Amino acid sequence: MKTLAIISEFNPFHNGHKYLLEEARRKTMADIALTIMSGDYVQRGEPAIIDKYKRSDSAMKSGFDMVIEMPAFITLQSAEYFALGSIKILEKLGVDYLCFGIENINPDEFLNSVDTLIDKADELDKLTKENLDSSSFTKARYDATVKILGSDKFISSNNVLALEYIRAIRKINSKMSPIPIKRISSTNKDIDLKSTKISSSTAIRENILNDYRCHVPDFSYEAIESSKKFYGIPNMEYEFDLFKYLLLINQKPMADILAYEQGLDNYLFKTALKNDNLKDFLKESTTKRYTSSRIKRLILNYLLDNKADFNDYDLDFYKVLAFNKKSQYIFRNSKSKPVLTKKDMDKLPASDQFILSKMLDASNMYSLGQGQELNQDLNKKIRRY
């Protein structure tokens, strides 16, 4: 049996995601489709608009056979480590095809550009470092990429992430085949809803209090509206209050935390002293070098005590959020251990139990901020479809 995978956030699940899955199945003719999905926090360094269980339910109803939760420390990193951590997990599951969306460019041209950038990796790194003193890593990498390719058509957050997926596949010598699928109608950065009814996650979140219904499948709309009714729209003020306590009062060290850079602790300490809310704090602390997403990821990693050395762990488990009968093929053939119950958790080696405990901490922090029940990972039965 052949398996395809999509690395996702589904924040929220929308018509474009449904199209991506349909195209992935059509192109690969795979028997099983799984997704490794960010948990309750996403790569932008924010709480997801609805919790992981509602998002995984939407994914299963759209046609996935299994949803796996991405460890929080992988989610809360830059594209390079986000991609590498996810690919390592998928490799142990025996995934045959990795499918992903790209923008502004056709698949063949995209793959040619990727080959050029990987072949010229040393030159890319050198140009990036030359620009790093005056800008963020993201901007420095952008300028270096444009110079090597001679065009900015390749550059978008989705394409850069897709590049990192392929770089990760090659780095670990995986036989996984990358399958780029061109997005239609909308790009990731669009903030306006499209008349085509396929709009970006960003646009849907921006219009979550307006009429966005036709841009998401019915099951996703019902999940979002139910969550809005009971819990409201998530924000990071709760997490920001925790952050200020740990930084200003507890003065917890920051030096070994993921996304930290020397001097950031003193810089953020001074900024947090002057600002009572997250919006003002981010406005003052964001610079060309330190993007708001990086600062928000650092805040969450700091709260969760996610350390830089977590990237050295060789994870030998995958946490299942939902599955169907067909996906049991993965349980039988994967090189790592599935976690569905408390008993499964207890059987893991100490290092895997430790990383899993960090995932549970992230879920509980989200639940506290949203006024939801604690310890859902231990008490909630995994959905079988």
Side-chain angles (χ1 to χ4, degrees):
M1 296 183 79
K2 296 294 185 180
T3 303
L4 74 85
I6 293 173
I7 300 171
S8 67
E9 292 189 332
F10 297 151
N11 188 34
F13 191 94
H14 57 64
N15 293 340
H17 296 134
K18 191 169 183 293
Y19 169 80
L20 175 62
L21 175 59
E22 290 168 351
E23 281 294 289
R25 282 193 178 277
R26 184 183 68 81
K27 285 177 175 288
T28 65
M29 300 296 290
D31 304 285
I32 297 171
L34 67 86
T35 181
I36 178 168
M37 185 187 78
S38 297
D40 288 320
Y41 292 96
V42 297
Q43 206 234 354
R44 289 166 55 88
E46 297 173 351
I49 197 164
I50 58 174
D51 69 51
K52 62 188 180 186
Y53 296 107
K54 291 183 176 65
R55 285 160 38 237
S56 68
D57 183 58
S58 292
M60 293 297 293
K61 288 177 178 176
S62 76
F64 280 98
D65 298 299
M66 179 182 284
V67 181
I68 296 164
E69 181 179 353
M70 187 184 298
F73 82 91
I74 294 175
T75 296
L76 296 172
Q77 294 202 66
S78 63
E80 177 185 357
Y81 292 101
F82 179 94
L84 182 59
S86 300
I87 294 297
K88 284 181 176 179
I89 292 173
L90 294 177
E91 174 69 7
K92 289 192 176 185
L93 297 182
V95 167
D96 299 288
Y97 307 103
L98 179 73
C99 303
F100 47 84
I102 58 171
E103 300 170 338
N104 309 322
I105 191 171
N106 68 53
D108 289 339
E109 189 178 354
F110 169 82
L111 291 173
N112 288 335
S113 295
V114 166
D115 286 339
T116 298
L117 291 170
I118 292 177
D119 289 343
K120 296 186 176 182
D122 291 342
E123 182 182 350
L124 184 67
D125 288 341
K126 181 182 177 182
L127 290 170
T128 300
K129 289 176 182 176
E130 288 174 359
N131 296 326
L132 202 54
D133 289 339
S134 58
S135 63
S136 68
F137 177 85
T138 302
K139 180 63 167 61
R141 181 69 90 185
Y142 172 95
D143 291 339
T145 302
V146 170
K147 187 166 185 178
I148 287 175
L149 295 179
S151 167
D152 65 354
K153 189 164 63 169
F154 179 88
I155 300 295
S156 77
S157 58
N158 265 17
N159 291 358
V160 169
L161 188 54
L163 162 66
E164 295 300 339
Y165 292 154
I166 296 175
R167 198 195 303 274
I169 287 171
R170 296 185 186 181
K171 183 173 184 176
I172 66 171
N173 296 314
S174 171
K175 294 181 180 179
M176 202 181 308
S177 299
I179 309 294
I181 298 172
K182 190 172 182 180
R183 290 176 65 132
I184 57 174
S185 176
S186 178
T187 63
N188 189 54
K189 66 180 182 180
D190 289 339
I191 62 173
D192 296 320
L193 297 175
K194 301 292 185 179
S195 59
T196 57
K197 300 181 183 178
I198 293 185
S199 298
S200 69
S201 297
T202 303
I204 293 168
R205 290 194 303 271
E206 288 289 323
N207 290 276
I208 205 68
L209 298 177
N210 302 320
D211 183 12
Y212 66 93
R213 181 164 194 160
C214 64
H215 298 267
V216 299
D218 288 343
F219 48 78
S220 184
Y221 180 80
E222 290 164 6
I224 296 165
E225 290 303 303
S226 172
S227 185
K228 279 168 56 179
K229 178 180 178 181
F230 288 102
Y231 306 114
I233 306 297
N235 61 57
M236 271 189 69
E237 292 301 333
Y238 170 77
E239 289 87 348
F240 183 56
D241 286 342
L242 292 178
F243 172 72
K244 287 191 294 181
Y245 171 79
L246 286 180
L247 183 66
L248 301 179
I249 298 173
N250 185 273
Q251 297 190 14
K252 172 187 169 183
M254 191 182 285
D256 57 352
I257 298 296
L258 280 168
Y260 172 78
E261 183 178 316
Q262 187 173 3
L264 255 178
D265 43 2
N266 293 328
Y267 174 66
L268 296 180
F269 186 98
K270 294 173 183 176
T271 310
L273 274 176
K274 297 184 288 181
N275 293 282
D276 295 329
N277 61 75
L278 179 65
K279 183 179 179 180
D280 291 340
F281 169 78
L282 288 175
K283 184 177 180 180
E284 183 168 344
S285 58
T286 299
T287 66
K288 288 182 178 180
R289 187 174 183 86
Y290 305 129
T291 64
S292 61
S293 291
R294 178 178 176 180
I295 291 171
K296 286 183 288 186
R297 287 196 295 266
L298 176 59
I299 288 173
L300 294 174
N301 283 320
Y302 181 65
L303 294 179
L304 295 168
D305 207 32
N306 288 334
K307 304 287 182 67
D309 64 2
F310 286 10
N311 285 322
D312 298 330
Y313 281 69
D314 181 23
L315 302 183
D316 197 29
F317 76 96
Y318 57 102
K319 186 173 181 297
V320 180
L321 291 175
F323 68 102
N324 62 20
K325 185 176 181 179
K326 190 192 297 184
S327 68
Q328 292 184 24
Y329 171 84
I330 298 171
F331 296 151
R332 294 192 299 269
N333 292 279
S334 64
K335 295 178 182 177
S336 53
K337 303 173 186 67
V339 171
L340 296 97
T341 67
K342 179 68 166 59
K343 288 182 179 179
D344 294 333
M345 298 178 189
D346 294 340
K347 291 177 183 177
L348 294 176
S351 58
D352 284 342
Q353 283 196 33
F354 176 69
I355 293 298
L356 184 58
S357 74
K358 293 298 180 183
M359 297 170 70
L360 305 188
D361 288 348
S363 295
N364 277 333
M365 186 167 75
Y366 180 91
S367 294
L368 281 172
Q370 291 301 107
Q372 296 184 13
E373 176 187 351
L374 290 178
N375 296 320
Q376 293 187 59
D377 295 84
L378 303 177
N379 302 326
K380 204 175 185 77
K381 191 173 181 180
I382 300 300
R383 290 290 300 272
R384 176 172 177 172
Y385 291 76

